Amino acid sequence: MLTKNRSSSKKLSKRRMMNRERMSLADSDPRIQEIVDSIVKISAGDFSVSLSPSPLRDEVDAIIVGIKAMSLRLEATYEALEQRVRQRTGLLEEARRDLEVLAFTDALTGLDNRAAILRKLDAHLVALGRGEPSAVLFLLDLDSFKHINDTQGHNAGDLVLKEVARRLKENIRPGDVAARLGGDEFAILAHTDIAVAESMGQRILNALHEPMNIGSSVITPGGSIGFSASTPSQHSEQWIEQADTAMYVAKRGNVTKVQRFEKYMLYERQHKARLSSELRIALERKEIYPIYQPIVSSATGEHVGVEALARWAHPSLGILPPSDFLPLATSAGLDHSLTARILSGALADLAQWRANRSVTEEFRMHINVTPSELSNLAFPDFVKSQLRDYQIPASSLAIELTENEYISGGNLELYSLRGLKSMGVRIYIDDFGAGYSAFGYLDKLPISGVKIDRSLITEIDTSAMQQSILRSVLDLGRACELDCIVEGVETQGQEAALRDIGATYFQGYLYGKPDLYIPPLNRS
């Protein structure tokens, strides 16, 4: 034990001696403390070392030179590292901005996308709560865009969307925002007063009505616009819903294609949503059925055919006209089912009338067909199978196309029209004179006749101008070897004037409103 204590005491004395020597060395050479201070600075990232070798050029000076060189190399290394960090940070920030642009930009048109416009609507509504002025949201939907895609191809459809975007940007003011919500639906956030919003919407719509040269085709898509002003306490989705509701009211209208939102429209939208959900079931239950309006010969007054018109016997709402459910069928993709139901029901009735000898062999059934049906390559075969099932000759069927919805001459439509014509089915352009009002396209299509729109005969018994116009239309029809059926005949004065002009076939309330049809030969 005594030996161990003596050993520990010797070690402690040795350490104390070494410390005294170090302290004595630092006191005798101040460079040692400078070296220590420099090392501390370097370890803290400060490379501004002020060490300089002394004239002695001894071992301490060698250490000083080494530390100085090390600090310079470390400073250069750290500077290069910081430069790379700054570059990478800049690249990351640029990438973040690019990603943000991609996240809030529509890739096809370059307009804001739905996420971007929602963000801006939210920002405006917050500002509105602070007392800033109200703004107006416009929603625009193109007319018959699906038809353009089906007949001209998706590349042509994309070009149409790009051109629409360009025209929107040209027709809004600085500070306003144009966006594509998706498909053929666009939005505009305009910092304007609601009192001038309708005129602004009409100006935008007029721009869309200018023809577009897309490849070798000229397309005029048109559109429907709904708009709504911002109000306190609403959120962006409510605002969009209001403008969207007004837009669909405009889309269903025949005259006003720019509509301001009114509260009653929400109820109507809910009503339409309910009908849309019930439409498929109604078709399965055959609640939708055809009624008929006669077509008569001006020479004999005999019924030469009927036009089939759809009605819906709704269980709780009663009999609904086609204006209440045809647009719903289109938006729900039920066009074919609806056409099939009416065609099947009409041919079944015609087969019964022919079997009872209630109508002549030449008696013809007219059926309205949508453009989407003609874009379906299977449609001619479907018509052929229906004619075969009911043992109806093809010459007893006439297909009617509405002029203001179809005159593009797309390849798929031409295929369907030629297929129907080759069977012997007759093709008529309905509402002729209400849209394109030209015979120029008729020689390019397999058309058998036209149905002259009622707007051309409203004053036919008193207006020399209308008589002159209609006479020219009839002469051109004869020159093209086309049947001409005059629609909307309601008075005997109109009938007499039309006979004098040389019209050969009439249709209108004078001869019967659309109803369940009893052939004349069956009437007691």
Side-chain angles (χ1 to χ4, degrees):
M1 177 66 73
L2 182 59
T3 304
K4 287 184 179 179
N5 289 338
R6 286 176 180 172
S7 176
S8 299
S9 177
K10 287 180 180 179
K11 288 180 181 178
L12 182 59
S13 298
K14 188 175 181 180
R15 286 197 196 99
R16 288 173 179 170
M17 186 181 299
M18 290 175 64
N19 289 336
R20 282 198 297 271
E21 288 175 355
R22 288 193 189 110
M23 293 174 65
S24 175
L25 182 62
D27 291 339
S28 63
D29 192 341
R31 292 177 298 170
I32 300 301
Q33 187 61 45
E34 291 179 2
I35 290 172
V36 172
D37 292 341
S38 296
I39 291 172
V40 171
K41 287 178 67 176
I42 291 171
S43 66
D46 184 356
F47 304 106
S48 58
V49 175
S50 59
L51 285 174
S52 298
S54 72
L56 298 176
R57 298 295 189 268
D58 56 7
E59 292 178 351
V60 175
D61 283 335
I63 294 172
I64 288 173
V65 171
I67 291 174
K68 183 75 173 180
M70 180 183 68
S71 71
L72 291 174
R73 286 196 298 271
L74 285 174
E75 184 176 20
T77 300
Y78 269 76
E79 179 60 33
L81 180 61
E82 287 180 357
Q83 179 67 18
R84 287 198 295 271
V85 169
R86 285 194 295 269
Q87 289 177 345
R88 296 292 176 86
T89 302
L91 290 173
L92 287 172
E93 179 61 23
E94 184 178 349
R96 186 194 66 77
R97 289 194 298 267
D98 290 344
L99 286 172
E100 185 172 357
V101 169
L102 289 174
F104 294 104
T105 302
D106 178 64
L108 177 65
T109 64
L111 299 179
D112 281 10
N113 62 13
R114 185 181 185 90
I117 194 71
L118 281 172
R119 189 167 64 165
K120 290 174 182 177
L121 294 180
D122 287 337
H124 165 74
L125 291 172
V126 170
L128 183 67
R130 294 196 301 263
E132 293 194 12
S134 178
V136 176
L137 176 65
F138 295 87
L139 254 60
L140 181 151
D141 189 74
L142 299 183
D143 292 339
S144 304
F145 182 71
K146 181 179 182 299
H147 177 59
I148 293 171
N149 268 339
D150 290 342
T151 58
Q152 304 293 332
H154 288 277
N155 287 338
D158 287 348
L159 292 174
V160 169
L161 294 175
K162 289 179 181 179
E163 178 61 17
V164 169
R166 186 188 68 80
R167 295 185 185 187
L168 290 182
K169 286 188 284 188
E170 284 185 350
N171 284 275
I172 61 177
R173 302 173 307 177
D176 294 345
V177 179
R180 180 183 174 218
L181 300 182
D184 61 335
E185 193 170 17
F186 295 82
I188 295 170
L189 174 60
H191 298 281
T192 189
D193 189 84
I194 190 68
V196 299
E198 186 168 355
S199 61
M200 180 178 174
Q202 193 60 55
R203 184 178 72 249
I204 293 169
L205 201 59
N206 291 342
L208 296 183
H209 283 145
E210 292 296 322
M212 299 178 182
N213 294 311
I214 305 296
S216 59
S217 301
V218 178
I219 297 174
T220 307
S224 304
I225 294 177
F227 64 92
S228 174
S230 57
T231 58
S233 74
Q234 73 180 162
H235 55 73
S236 55
E237 289 291 354
Q238 286 176 318
W239 196 5
I240 288 177
E241 182 184 27
Q242 291 176 358
D244 187 61
T245 299
M247 181 191 70
Y248 275 97
V249 172
K251 202 171 186 67
R252 292 197 305 272
N254 295 322
V255 179
T256 304
K257 305 298 286 184
V258 179
Q259 281 281 355
R260 177 178 178 176
F261 171 76
E262 302 289 349
K263 288 184 178 179
Y264 78 86
M265 294 177 180
L266 282 178
Y267 167 77
E268 185 176 353
R269 179 170 183 145
Q270 293 166 354
H271 173 67
K272 295 299 181 185
R274 172 193 167 194
L275 289 182
S276 183
S277 66
E278 295 173 343
L279 183 57
R280 193 181 302 274
I281 297 173
L283 288 166
E284 294 173 356
R285 294 176 177 175
K286 297 185 178 181
E287 293 173 1
I288 295 177
Y289 61 94
I291 61 172
Y292 306 98
Q293 186 173 39
I295 300 169
V296 304
S297 165
S298 66
T300 64
E302 294 180 353
H303 293 191
V304 296
V306 290
E307 177 182 356
L309 301 164
R311 291 294 185 271
W312 181 357
H314 193 280
S316 60
L317 300 176
I319 305 301
L320 301 180
S323 58
D324 280 0
F325 58 88
L326 289 183
L328 302 179
T330 300
S331 61
L334 295 174
D335 299 53
H336 178 70
S337 298
L338 182 58
T339 300
R341 174 71 196 101
I342 297 304
L343 179 61
S344 176
L347 292 181
D349 287 341
L350 180 58
Q352 184 65 44
W353 300 335
R354 288 169 63 89
N356 294 342
R357 299 185 183 276
S358 302
V359 298
T360 66
E361 292 292 324
E362 295 77 21
F363 191 89
R364 188 172 294 129
M365 178 66 69
H366 288 244
I367 302 287
N368 292 280
V369 171
T370 64
S372 62
E373 288 289 1
L374 296 179
S375 301
N376 181 356
L377 293 176
F379 183 65
D381 289 336
F382 172 73
V383 172
K384 186 176 183 178
S385 68
Q386 290 289 297
L387 291 170
R388 182 179 59 249
D389 290 347
Y390 291 103
Q391 298 182 356
I392 302 292
S395 59
S396 295
L397 177 64
I399 296 294
E400 295 188 8
L401 315 171
T402 302
E403 183 192 16
N404 60 10
E405 291 183 350
Y406 166 81
I407 300 298
S408 70
N411 291 334
L412 293 178
E413 292 169 331
L414 284 173
Y415 173 87
S416 294
L417 290 174
R418 288 169 180 163
L420 293 168
K421 185 69 177 289
S422 68
M423 287 181 223
V425 175
R426 299 176 69 81
I427 312 295
Y428 284 74
I429 297 297
D430 197 9
D431 299 335
F432 184 81
Y436 291 79
S437 305
F439 277 84
Y441 62 81
L442 296 181
D443 63 350
K444 300 178 179 64
L445 302 173
I447 302 299
S448 305
V450 296
K451 297 183 75 175
I452 298 170
D453 188 68
R454 65 183 66 247
S455 63
L456 297 183
I457 70 159
T458 53
E459 300 175 0
I460 194 71
D461 51 342
T462 58
S463 170
M465 177 66 73
Q466 276 200 354
Q467 293 172 10
S468 178
I469 291 171
L470 194 64
R471 187 177 287 108
S472 298
V473 171
L474 293 171
D475 288 343
L476 284 169
R478 293 189 191 98
C480 294
E481 298 182 345
L482 299 174
D483 291 340
C484 294
I485 301 172
V486 181
E487 297 182 294
V489 182
E490 298 183 357
T491 69
Q492 292 180 343
Q494 289 175 325
E495 181 186 57
L498 290 168
R499 279 204 180 97
D500 291 342
I501 293 170
T504 51
Y505 298 106
F506 303 149
Q507 182 179 348
Y509 283 2
L510 184 62
Y511 314 103
K513 295 182 178 181
D515 203 346
L516 298 176
Y517 184 68
I518 301 176
L521 296 182
N522 272 5
R523 297 175 186 174
S524 56

